[in-house]
């Protein structure tokens, strides 16, 4: 009864969704270049991790590698052995010798790096050889395998970060903050309910302990009273027998009086026993009532806990249903977003085609107008030239006739 009504579990809203990159493939030259560099580096790491195994089995791979690569691998093995020997002998010694070891170690490290680059350059020059080595030499040391996996995860993470726009990044951060706040609220609610449950359980246990103590005290008092009655009866019997023996020895006359006293004492004993039985019955009734009350409290506690458990299961089922609906909506949203991107791309292409067609039509119209104007001018000029020629011929003929006359 003292427990407060539990708050409803907070369920994330339906429109909560994890931001995803809207582009599945990189559409920028810079992103493609970065991913190409990372892929090339990953390929080099895989080849470099196979070099120790190839060196250990150099007799088996010699025919495949060729003399140049084999010599480079032998040189690399020699440098590796020198590096191990130098590292093993560098422990202890004075400061001057430690500095010499350090300088030799740095120089040998540079040579070892150059050797690795040379081996990788020779291997990458023959792609078929690289594929064959990856297929046959699959043994890698665990640190190298872990490093390659970590680099692949870094590459995927970098691709995701490059494909994620700032708006999507802000949306993702905001959604993660909302989810964290929601989880914190739910945790606080659960903690409060657990504290209330613990307090109610402790109170109920204290009440049961008090009633157990009362029952125990009543049992002890009944036992003490029974023992006292037994002792009293035994003492009275002893006194009566003693008096009876004394009176029998002393006088026959006192036997009747003693017998009367015994009867009186027996009557008193019966009364005391009846009284004690009545008090014992009353105590037993109180004990039964206390036990019944305890059972009722326990049943009520079980009922309340069953209701709380049912309410918790209903809330959990509602949460699971909302979560499943959220996943379905997120899948539909991803499909619709992809379809919308394709439709927008098709619209853009059609719009570009229409604009190009209109531009081409305008260009052709202007060209046709200019051609027609040029042609009309040409016809007019030809007509004017023909008229001028005709006028010149007419004037020449008139002058000849006048001369003849």
């Amino acid at each position: 009864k003292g427990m407060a009504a539990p708050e409803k579990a907070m369920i994330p809203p339906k429109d909560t969704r994890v931001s995803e990159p809207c582009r599945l493939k990189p559409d920028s030259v810079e992103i493609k270049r970065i991913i190409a560099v990372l892929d090339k580096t990953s390929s080099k790491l895989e080849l470099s991790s196979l070099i120790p195994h190839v060196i250990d089995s150099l007799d088996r791979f010699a025919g495949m590698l060729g003399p140049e690569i084999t010599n480079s691998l032998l040189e690399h093995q020699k440098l590796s052995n020198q590096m191990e020997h130098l590292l093993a002998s560098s422990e202890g010694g004075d400061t001057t010798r430690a500095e010499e070891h350090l300088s030799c170690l740095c120089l040998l490290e540079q040579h070892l790096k150059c050797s690795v680059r040379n081996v990788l350059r020779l291997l990458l020059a023959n792609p078929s050889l690289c594929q064959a080595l990856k297929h046959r030499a699959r043994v890698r040391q665990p640190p190298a395998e872990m490093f390659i996996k970590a680099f692949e995860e870094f590459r995927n993470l970098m691709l995701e970060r490059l494909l994620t726009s700032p708006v999507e990044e802000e949306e993702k951060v905001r959604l993660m903050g909302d989810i964290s706040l929601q989880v914190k609220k739910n945790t606080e609610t659960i903690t409060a309910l657990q504290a209330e449950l613990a307090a109610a359980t402790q109170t109920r246990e204290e009440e049961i302990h008090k009633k157990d103590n009362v029952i125990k005290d009543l049992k002890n008092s009944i036992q003490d009273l029974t023992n006292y009655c037994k002792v009293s009866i035994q003492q009275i019997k002893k006194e009566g027998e003693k008096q009876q023996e004394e009176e029998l020895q002393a006088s026959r006359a006192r036997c009747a009086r003693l017998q009367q006293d015994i009867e009186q004492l027996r009557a008193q004993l019966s009364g005391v026993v009846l009284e004690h039985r009545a008090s014992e019955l009353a105590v037993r009734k109180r004990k039964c009532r206390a036990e019944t009350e305890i059972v009722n409290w326990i049943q009520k506690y079980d009922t309340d806990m069953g209701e709380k458990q049912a309410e918790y299961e209903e809330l959990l089922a509602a949460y699971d249903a909302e979560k499943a609906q959220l996943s379905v909506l997120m899948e539909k949203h991803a499909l619709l977003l992809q379809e919308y991107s394709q439709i927008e791309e098709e619209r853009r292409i059609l719009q570009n085609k229409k604009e190009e067609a209109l531009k081409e039509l305008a260009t052709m119209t202007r060209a046709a107008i200019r051609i027609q104007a040029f042609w009309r001018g040409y016809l007019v000029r030809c007509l004017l030239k023909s008229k001028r020629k005709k006028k010149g011929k007419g004037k020449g003929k008139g002058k000849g006739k006048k001369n003849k006359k």
Side-chain angles (χ1 to χ4, degrees):
K1 292 182 181 179
M3 293 176 63
E7 299 179 358
K8 292 185 177 181
M10 304 299 293
I11 300 174
K14 293 182 179 180
D15 59 347
T16 304
R17 57 186 181 277
V18 180
S19 61
E20 297 179 354
C22 63
R23 298 180 297 275
L24 299 178
K25 294 182 179 179
D27 56 353
S28 175
V29 178
E30 290 78 5
I31 296 176
K32 290 180 180 179
R33 288 177 179 173
I34 293 171
I35 298 304
V37 170
L38 293 176
D39 292 338
K40 190 173 181 180
T41 305
S42 178
S43 179
K44 289 182 179 180
L45 286 174
E46 291 179 358
L47 284 176
S48 61
S49 64
L50 296 176
I51 290 175
H53 178 68
V54 173
I55 291 174
D56 293 337
S57 305
L58 194 59
D59 296 335
R60 185 163 60 93
F61 293 103
M64 182 192 304
L65 296 174
E68 187 178 2
I69 299 177
T70 304
N71 294 331
S72 299
L73 290 174
L74 290 173
E75 183 66 24
H76 179 75
Q77 185 181 12
K78 187 185 297 183
L79 292 173
S80 299
N81 293 332
Q82 291 178 5
M83 175 70 78
E84 292 177 359
H85 179 69
L86 189 61
L87 289 174
S89 63
S90 63
E91 298 178 356
D94 53 359
T95 307
T96 306
R97 190 167 183 180
E99 291 178 357
E100 292 177 357
H101 273 289
L102 184 60
S103 61
C104 293
L105 190 63
C106 293
L107 183 60
L108 190 58
E109 184 179 359
Q110 294 296 327
H111 289 305
L112 193 62
K113 289 180 180 178
C114 293
S115 176
V116 172
R117 292 194 192 99
N118 187 27
V119 172
L120 289 177
R121 178 178 58 79
L122 294 174
L123 291 175
L124 292 174
N126 192 350
S128 60
L129 177 61
C130 294
Q131 294 297 328
L133 286 177
K134 289 180 182 179
H135 181 71
R136 295 183 62 181
R138 298 181 179 178
V139 180
R140 292 191 182 94
Q141 295 182 358
E145 190 72 26
M146 292 175 61
F147 183 76
I148 291 172
K149 289 182 180 179
F151 188 81
E152 289 293 334
E153 293 178 358
F154 170 74
R155 183 258 184 197
N156 295 330
L157 179 61
M158 182 60 66
L159 178 60
E160 183 179 357
R161 290 296 299 273
L162 290 173
L163 295 180
T164 304
S165 63
V167 177
E168 293 173 348
E169 188 70 23
E170 293 177 358
E171 182 70 14
K172 184 177 180 180
V173 172
R174 186 183 65 80
L175 290 176
M176 293 303 293
D178 294 341
I179 292 172
S180 299
L181 182 61
Q182 198 66 49
V183 170
K184 184 178 180 181
K185 289 183 180 179
N186 293 341
T187 305
E188 292 177 354
T189 304
I190 292 171
T191 304
L193 290 175
Q194 290 178 350
E196 292 179 1
L197 177 62
T201 305
Q202 185 177 2
T203 304
R204 195 64 49 79
E205 289 179 354
E206 291 177 356
E207 292 177 357
I208 293 171
H209 182 67
K210 289 180 181 179
K211 291 181 179 180
D212 288 339
N213 292 332
V214 171
I215 293 169
K216 186 176 181 181
D217 294 338
L218 291 174
K219 286 182 178 180
N220 293 330
S221 62
I222 291 171
Q223 186 69 28
D224 293 339
L225 185 61
T226 304
N227 293 331
Y228 176 73
C229 291
K230 288 180 179 180
V231 171
S232 299
I233 291 170
Q234 290 177 0
Q235 186 176 2
I236 290 170
K237 283 182 178 181
K238 287 179 181 180
E239 291 178 356
E241 289 175 357
K242 185 178 180 180
Q243 289 178 4
Q244 186 178 5
E245 289 176 358
E246 290 177 356
E247 290 293 332
L248 284 173
Q249 293 176 2
S251 174
R252 294 280 183 182
R254 295 177 60 184
C255 289
R257 190 179 61 184
L258 292 174
Q259 186 69 29
Q260 291 177 358
D261 294 336
I262 291 170
E263 291 179 356
Q264 290 178 358
L265 291 173
R266 286 179 178 175
Q268 291 178 1
L269 177 63
S270 298
V272 172
V273 170
L274 291 175
E275 183 180 357
H276 289 170
R277 284 180 179 176
S279 63
E280 181 183 359
L281 182 61
V283 172
R284 287 182 179 275
K285 287 181 179 180
R286 287 199 300 272
K287 176 186 175 183
C288 291
R289 285 197 299 270
E291 291 178 351
T292 305
E293 188 175 358
I294 290 170
V295 171
N296 292 332
W297 279 108
I298 293 172
Q299 291 178 353
K300 187 176 180 181
Y301 173 76
D302 293 338
T303 304
D304 293 339
M305 290 299 102
E307 293 177 356
K308 300 296 182 184
Q309 184 66 26
E311 185 178 359
Y312 171 74
E313 291 177 355
E314 290 177 359
L315 293 175
L316 184 61
Y319 173 73
D320 293 336
E322 292 291 338
K323 188 175 181 181
Q325 186 178 5
L326 174 63
S327 63
V328 173
L329 291 175
M330 287 176 64
E331 292 177 358
K332 291 182 178 179
H333 176 264
L335 293 175
L336 292 174
L337 186 61
Q338 186 176 2
E339 292 177 359
Y340 175 75
S341 301
Q342 293 177 357
I343 291 170
E344 285 294 325
E345 184 65 21
E346 291 176 358
R347 286 180 179 176
R348 186 182 65 78
I349 292 171
L350 291 174
Q351 185 65 27
N352 291 335
K353 288 183 178 180
K354 287 181 180 180
E355 291 178 358
E356 290 177 358
L358 290 175
K359 288 181 181 179
E360 186 177 357
L361 179 61
T363 304
M364 293 175 67
T365 303
R366 288 195 299 270
I369 292 170
R370 290 180 181 177
I371 291 169
Q372 289 177 0
F374 179 76
W375 179 251
R376 287 173 184 172
Y378 176 74
L379 292 177
V380 170
R381 286 193 297 272
C382 290
L383 184 61
L384 290 175
K385 285 181 181 181
S386 62
K387 285 182 179 182
R388 287 175 184 174
K389 287 179 181 181
K390 288 180 180 180
K391 286 181 180 181
K393 288 180 181 180
K395 289 180 180 181
K397 289 179 180 181
K399 289 180 181 179
K401 289 181 181 180
K402 288 180 182 181
N403 293 328
K404 287 181 181 180
K405 291 180 180 180

